[in-house]
Amino acid sequence: QGQLVQSGTEVKRPGASVKVSCKASGYSFTTYYTHWVRQAPGQGLDWMAIIDPNGAGITYAQTLQGRVTMTRDTSTSTVYMELSSLRSEDTAVYYCARGTWDHMDVWGKGTTVTVSS
Amino acid sequence: QSALTQPPSASGSPGQSVTISCTGTSSDVGGYEYVSWYQQHPGKAPKLMIYEVTKRPSGVPDRFSGSKSGNTASLTVSGLQAEDEADYHCSSYAGINNLVFGGGTTLTVL
């Protein structure tokens, strides 16, 4: 059925960068799209980025353009999300999720990123 | 893209039906047949309940159904059960591999 295992909790200073990993298992990694979605405390879901099965097409949310980078390593079935120039508003739980271009059927458990001075 | 609009809260008694709306524009909800709904219990990751407006993934009870009219999509939960109490998030494809979510609705089973 598939599983996504994410890296652990991060605490960062404003202006720093964070890189979160998401390791896939139990399915063909190169058959599905992978998304990143975040959720600030007490807020709704916020879509961040998507990478296509081939790894050639990456789309970022306009609000994060220039600050977010999504990469992947097919040899380890791992996808990464790096967010730079962190500010307090980036404090959130960051989820990776498998799916198609329009929906996500398998989610990681989330990685908490706290930005605080 | 702006977030889709959902009511902050909804409620119903066990056995009743409740409908949650999700309003967008012709550039997202109204323009594509790609609306999804996710259920999220506190402290947990979201779970896919409906995709492509009306389709249910394997294992999702048929008490959950989706529909769309114009720029507004809806999730209906029939025969409410205590375990249905959760946050529900809608999302829509918004073109060129972009997605947009709603603000989420907290469903309370009275």
Side-chain angles (χ1 to χ4, degrees), chain B residues 53-105:
Chain B
V53 181
T54 62
K55 297 178 180 178
R56 271 188 316 274
S58 173
V60 173
D62 59 7
R63 303 185 294 102
F64 291 85
S65 62
S67 63
K68 192 186 82 160
S69 178
N71 295 337
T72 298
S74 298
L75 172 72
T76 298
V77 186
S78 305
L80 270 175
Q81 299 182 4
E83 60 261 36
D84 299 334
E85 185 162 295
D87 291 333
Y88 291 84
H89 307 272
C90 65
S91 76
S92 174
Y93 184 68
I96 319 175
N97 272 0
N98 278 277
L99 290 183
V100 61
F101 280 97
T105 299

Side-chain angles (χ1 to χ4, degrees), chain A residues 33 35 37 39 43-47 50 52 57 59-63 95 100-105 107-110, chain B residues 1 33-36 38 40 43-48 51-52 89 91 93 96-104:
Chain A
Y33 288 76
H35 299 256
V37 176
Q39 186 172 33
Q43 303 298 310
L45 301 174
D46 181 27
W47 180 80
I50 183 174
D52 70 16
T59 303
Y60 301 115
Q62 281 191 320
T63 54
Y95 294 101
T100 68
W101 67 91
D102 70 291
H103 68 271
M104 307 141 209
D105 65 344
W107 292 67
K109 293 188 176 182
Chain B
Q1 298 88 346
E33 299 301 306
Y34 292 121
V35 175
S36 304
Y38 300 87
Q40 185 180 32
K44 300 295 187 181
K47 174 188 176 183
L48 179 67
Y51 66 101
E52 293 177 13
H89 307 272
S91 76
Y93 184 68
I96 319 175
N97 272 0
N98 278 277
L99 290 183
V100 61
F101 280 97

Side-chain angles (χ1 to χ4, degrees), chain A residues 38-41 87-94 112-116:
Chain A
R38 68 180 179 177
Q39 186 172 33
R87 34 219 193 209
S88 59
E89 309 89 89
D90 296 317
T91 293
V93 177
Y94 288 75
T112 298
V113 175
T114 301
V115 182
S116 175

